[in-house]
Amino acid sequence: MQPTPSWIESANDPAGGFPLDNLAMGVFSETDGRKRLGVAIGDFVLDLSRLEEEGLLALAGEPVMNRGAWNGVMALGPAKWDEMRARLRELLGEGAPHRPAVERALVRRAGIRLHLPFDVTEFTDFYAGRHHAENVGTMFRGPENALPPNWLHMPIGYNGRASSVIVSGTPVRRPWGQIKGRDFAAPILSPSRRFDFELEMGAVIGRPSRPGEPVPTEEAERMIFGYVLLNDWSARDIQAWEYQPLGPFQAKATATSISPWIVPRAALAPFRVPTPPREVPLLPYLAEPHPMGLDIALEVALVADGGEEVIISRTNARELYYSFPQQIAHHTLSGCPMRVGDLVGSGTISGPTRESRGSMLELSWGGAEPLELPGGITRSFLEDGDEVIFRGAAGGPDLAISFGECRGRVLPAIEKPFWME
Ligand code: MN
């Protein structure tokens, strides 16, 4: 597959990641700070509010592109998403009409600021990666209890916080919490000493479901507006003490970073792959009528101590045992309604090898095997000042569909307030 040709030269670079076949969606501003919707194309972002003003893009009876979030467009529904995509492909393709006007709506990506692309109304985090679940289970409960008894029968997850979802580039403060070491008689109050990242994908729900109505997987897939990279920052020491019996709470509540670009579901349709072979048959409501996994190459880079960037993990979203449509089908089984702006995290995506593990907890095996980085630096967990960078792309050397980056730097914990002494 080659990129669909565009009159924007940089969009035709097979390795560029932002061809006409992607049209990743973001919210951007320039120096005046005015937020509006745009799509990435080559080295540019196309200002959709300007196209709308010029009468070249009209999805609704009123302007929807001069907003600070994509939720308004999402709420118009999948037929309008398709209409927008077809129109943009027409305006950016070879032999396009209105080219001078479209050219005036192009802004160089190098000079813009990117914001959280949508208002996150809800956040659920699943645990759909088998290698991660087995690795963590082995460390926390031993190899014989690695996978919980329910794991092979349903995608398990927990309801997270929408309030702490932040956009790539926003720094993250090391959290305080209750920590209890194995040899401590009682917990202590401390900044987390085992602060970590989790390499995940996120699905952005663009179409709601009704209360009380379970959604089949095929329908669930059509509710997805697009996908983002997601870093579910995690404090492992806080988690170890608090997680039984109700699951993680404060350990996962500090921050969740997402990439500024939402890659449309339509752009990833050619990269659907079957989920891994089932070890036990699933109940019929989790059946996949066609391949619903996603072939997306993922990598994690670490900049430790302001030093050089090192790739510490490479994996693929196809490792997820449960697809997003299965996660959503299970989520709605109880009648739980999904909302426009709902964010569904996949859970950490680790591969089968050491080099493909998606968290520091796994990469350093709980601190027993610290990572050795150039310059004699070692890391078991994240230190203050460390920066974590996720990158992801579907496709190959002929045609890359990029997610861009999801990055975040760890800031020191706040100073202990007097009332915590
Ligand atoms: Mn997570």
Side-chain angles (χ1 to χ4, degrees), residues 209-214 331-338:
S209 68
R210 279 190 284 272
E213 293 187 14
H331 206 327
T332 59
L333 182 63
S334 61
C336 174
M338 304 302 289

Side-chain angles (χ1 to χ4, degrees), residues 123 125-127 132 158 198 200 230 232 234 252 346-348:
F123 171 46
D125 198 26
F126 279 90
Y127 196 53
H132 173 72
Y158 65 95
E198 288 194 328
E200 302 192 20
L230 187 150
D232 189 34
S234 298
K252 308 276 192 172
S346 62
T348 306

Side-chain angles (χ1 to χ4, degrees), residues 125-386:
D125 198 26
F126 279 90
Y127 196 53
R130 182 167 182 175
H131 300 293
H132 173 72
E134 283 176 342
N135 288 339
V136 174
T138 300
M139 278 182 267
F140 278 40
R141 292 180 298 273
E144 60 288 350
N145 299 311
L147 279 187
N150 52 14
W151 201 94
L152 292 169
H153 297 275
M154 63 179 173
I156 59 174
Y158 65 95
N159 290 307
R161 294 288 301 174
S163 64
S164 54
V165 179
I166 55 178
V167 71
S168 168
T170 312
V172 176
R173 274 218 181 270
R174 179 180 302 276
W176 283 83
Q178 279 202 22
I179 292 166
K180 187 184 166 301
R182 285 211 177 103
D183 40 355
F184 296 5
I188 59 164
L189 184 62
S190 167
S192 172
R193 298 160 184 182
R194 295 186 152 217
F195 198 50
D196 199 356
F197 62 82
E198 288 194 328
L199 173 61
E200 302 192 20
M201 300 282 311
V204 181
I205 304 296
R207 190 165 73 169
S209 68
R210 279 190 284 272
E213 293 187 14
V215 175
T217 51
E218 205 163 8
E219 182 77 16
E221 190 174 45
R222 285 195 290 265
M223 287 164 56
I224 299 171
F225 182 64
Y227 302 91
V228 291
L229 302 174
L230 187 150
N231 183 347
D232 189 34
W233 302 91
S234 298
R236 304 300 181 186
D237 38 8
I238 297 172
Q239 185 179 353
W241 168 230
E242 75 176 358
Y243 88 105
Q244 286 178 317
L246 291 185
F249 181 46
Q250 291 296 285
K252 308 276 192 172
T254 300
T256 300
S257 302
I258 61 170
S259 56
W261 296 112
I262 305 171
V263 173
R265 171 167 52 82
L268 294 176
F271 305 101
R272 288 187 293 199
V273 288
T275 40
R278 309 287 102 179
E279 187 162 316
V280 297
L282 295 172
L283 289 167
Y285 78 95
L286 290 171
E288 293 170 300
H290 57 255
M292 289 180 161
L294 293 170
D295 182 5
I296 300 166
L298 301 166
E299 69 177 33
V300 182
L302 178 64
V303 179
D305 261 349
E308 60 180 289
E309 182 190 309
V310 185
I311 307 289
I312 56 172
S313 181
R314 284 196 175 88
T315 180
N316 192 299
R318 67 191 302 161
E319 298 286 352
L320 289 169
Y321 191 82
Y322 295 104
S323 63
F324 280 112
Q326 287 178 317
Q327 294 168 40
I328 296 160
H330 183 66
H331 206 327
T332 59
L333 182 63
S334 61
C336 174
M338 304 302 289
R339 300 170 71 187
V340 173
D342 231 303
L343 175 63
V344 176
S346 62
T348 306
I349 306 168
S350 293
T353 61
R354 183 178 173 171
E355 297 72 33
S356 57
R357 295 174 184 165
S359 66
M360 291 300 291
L361 176 69
E362 294 162 272
L363 285 162
S364 74
W365 206 253
E369 303 164 16
L371 279 187
E372 291 180 16
L373 306 171
I377 297 172
T378 61
R379 283 288 182 277
S380 289
F381 293 93
L382 299 172
E383 303 285 335
D384 294 344
D386 287 356

